[in-house]
Amino acid sequence: MIPHPRQQVFCRACRPLSLVLCLVILPACNEQQAAPPPPTPPPSPVRVAPVLQQEVKRTVTLVGTVEPWKRSVVASEVEGLVRAFPAEEGMKATRGQLLARLRTETLKIRLDSAVALYRESGARYQRAKRDLKRIRVLFKRELVTQKDFDAAVAEEAALKERLSQLNAEIRQVRDSLHKSRIVAPFDGWITQEFTEIGQWVEEGGAIVEIVDLSRVQVEVPLPERYVSQIQIHDPVTATFDGLPAFEARGRVLSLVAQADRAARTFPVKVEIPNPALAIKSGMVSRVTLQIDRPHQGIVVPKDALVLRGGKAFVFWVNEGTVEQIPVTAVLHVEDAVEIEGPVHVGMDVVVEGNERLFPGQPVRVLDVPVEAPGNNP
């Protein structure tokens, strides 16, 4: 079929236009095909640490309150008026140091009287002994009666007993004089005052409270399931809320055999040396006890452990990229974690910068910790 003349004219007119459109579109298509791929992100900076094998111990941390090694309310053994009271709250006292002194004038008068009576009775006793010696000789010669001899024996015995009585009275008064000086029973710190100068103190009346802080003890409640794993003299470590960055070491002192019926916990007392007196009575203490025998375990720093979706894993740096390895946390040991999984000693795991990593991501290992965002000037 022969095209209509008008159609032929139209086709001839469209040919130049089609050629122009093709010339315009083809370069654009070639440019789109030749465009380079988008740039890949640079390697993420990370810090790594090796997987180690070391001795680990299972522990439990319990909270208790610090108590002094010794606590004593020092009392007066005799009654009297307080004449001197050098003790003050917060003062350090050494054993034998004067804490209070009572008025002693009346005791001194009693002592002088008892001594005078003792001397008088002593002289009479010596005369009675000489008389008895003479009468005994005369009695053997039958120059005195039995009655006179018996009277001399009784007089000598009575005066001897009188001397013993007066001697006991003298010792008692001297003891009261000695007790009128109230002194510290041991080295410690005065924590409370109960009297003052001019105050009358009854026999047994409180003077001061003194505590010994050269050692302290902490009582913590041990859950029943751990009782069989705690032994006397087991080592412990303790930290204190009032002493940041301070850690003390001690030992298990005693395990009370009677449990708290409500909590089902057993009181455990631990002893902690305190030579620098940094630990104060009443502080809150967190005591860590060893509840298992030491064993060798695979450990990583706690920052290497990543938790996502209820699962735990670590990132292993392998030839510039990271691989995600699933692990199970067995035991937390201070700043490390004992783990189980397909890891071995010497592997480098990411400990900083692992929050946004994904498997296969390139990384750059830093010799220093990754700088926190916003710290750059």
Side-chain angles (χ1 to χ4, degrees):
M1 179 177 176
I2 300 174
H4 192 274
R6 290 182 179 179
Q7 292 178 349
Q8 293 178 359
V9 173
F10 177 77
C11 291
R12 286 194 297 268
C14 291
R15 285 173 184 172
L17 180 60
S18 300
L19 181 60
V20 171
L21 291 174
C22 289
L23 292 175
V24 173
I25 294 173
L26 285 175
C29 294
N30 292 335
E31 289 179 4
Q32 184 176 3
Q33 291 176 357
T40 59
S44 297
V46 296
R47 189 165 64 90
V48 300
V51 177
L52 302 176
Q53 182 177 19
Q54 66 183 42
E55 183 182 86
V56 294
K57 296 173 288 187
R58 190 180 177 200
T59 60
V60 60
T61 300
L62 306 170
V63 179
T65 303
V66 174
E67 294 293 339
W69 184 250
K70 297 178 186 176
R71 183 195 300 272
S72 176
V73 177
V74 183
S76 175
E77 296 184 68
V78 294
E79 63 179 10
L81 190 73
V82 178
R83 174 61 62 83
F85 187 62
E88 295 181 0
E89 289 185 6
M91 185 181 77
K92 186 178 186 302
T94 58
R95 181 179 180 180
Q97 181 176 337
L98 180 68
L99 302 177
R101 186 175 67 249
L102 306 182
R103 183 177 180 272
T104 59
E105 280 74 6
T106 303
L107 291 174
K108 290 179 179 178
I109 294 172
R110 285 178 53 192
L111 179 60
D112 292 342
S113 175
V115 169
L117 286 174
Y118 181 84
R119 290 172 180 171
E120 177 187 353
S121 297
R124 295 175 58 190
Y125 173 66
Q126 293 300 326
R127 187 182 64 181
K129 285 178 63 177
R130 292 191 297 269
D131 292 344
L132 178 59
K133 185 177 180 180
R134 289 193 299 268
I135 292 176
R136 181 175 285 112
V137 173
L138 296 175
F139 180 71
K140 289 180 180 179
R141 296 178 182 178
E142 298 183 353
L143 297 176
V144 296
T145 64
Q146 181 71 42
K147 181 178 180 181
D148 293 336
F149 176 74
D150 293 342
V153 171
E155 179 70 11
E156 189 268 346
L159 289 173
K160 184 178 180 180
E161 294 300 323
R162 176 60 175 166
L163 281 178
S164 297
Q165 179 185 1
L166 290 173
N167 185 48
E169 184 176 344
I170 291 172
R171 293 202 311 270
Q172 182 181 17
V173 176
R174 285 177 175 168
D175 184 59
S176 296
L177 281 170
H178 176 73
K179 292 175 180 177
S180 66
R181 297 182 73 258
I182 297 96
V183 298
F186 49 79
D187 295 349
W189 295 82
I190 297 173
T191 58
Q192 196 170 357
E193 303 174 22
F194 296 106
T195 189
E196 192 50 80
I197 294 177
Q199 184 172 337
W200 182 265
V201 178
E202 299 290 343
E203 182 178 345
I207 302 297
V208 298
E209 180 185 62
I210 186 171
V211 297
D212 177 11
L213 294 176
S214 61
R215 290 178 290 173
V216 297
Q217 55 182 334
V218 182
E219 182 177 306
V220 293
L222 182 69
E224 184 177 1
R225 62 183 178 275
Y226 299 136
V227 169
S228 62
Q229 299 168 333
I230 298 297
Q231 303 293 330
I232 305 300
H233 304 307
D234 278 355
V236 303
T237 58
T239 59
F240 307 88
D241 290 1
L243 299 172
F246 177 80
E247 182 179 271
R249 299 186 181 276
R251 65 185 182 95
V252 175
L253 184 64
S254 66
L255 172 60
V256 180
Q258 175 62 51
D260 184 303
R261 296 184 181 275
R264 295 298 177 186
T265 57
F266 289 79
V268 174
K269 291 185 178 181
V270 301
E271 173 191 357
I272 302 173
N274 188 28
L277 302 178
I279 308 171
K280 308 300 182 185
S281 178
M283 281 185 170
V284 175
S285 177
R286 303 179 188 276
V287 178
T288 301
L289 298 94
Q290 178 181 317
I291 57 173
D292 198 0
R293 299 301 99 186
H295 64 277
Q296 294 294 321
I298 302 297
V299 298
V300 297
K302 65 179 182 179
D303 293 334
L305 203 64
V306 180
L307 302 176
R308 290 179 189 168
K311 297 181 179 180
F313 51 86
V314 296
F315 283 107
W316 169 43
V317 178
N318 183 20
E319 297 182 354
T321 61
V322 292
E323 296 183 14
Q324 181 175 306
I325 303 177
V327 295
T328 301
V330 178
L331 180 63
H332 290 263
V333 185
E334 297 179 350
D335 293 333
V337 182
E338 181 187 6
I339 60 172
E340 290 181 351
V343 294
H344 58 78
V345 176
M347 295 176 65
D348 288 329
V349 293
V350 180
V351 295
E352 193 165 333
N354 52 3
E355 298 84 359
R356 296 180 177 85
L357 294 180
F358 55 86
Q361 182 176 351
V363 294
R364 177 169 54 90
V365 177
L366 299 177
D367 294 332
V368 296
V370 179
E371 194 168 354
N375 290 346
N376 295 328

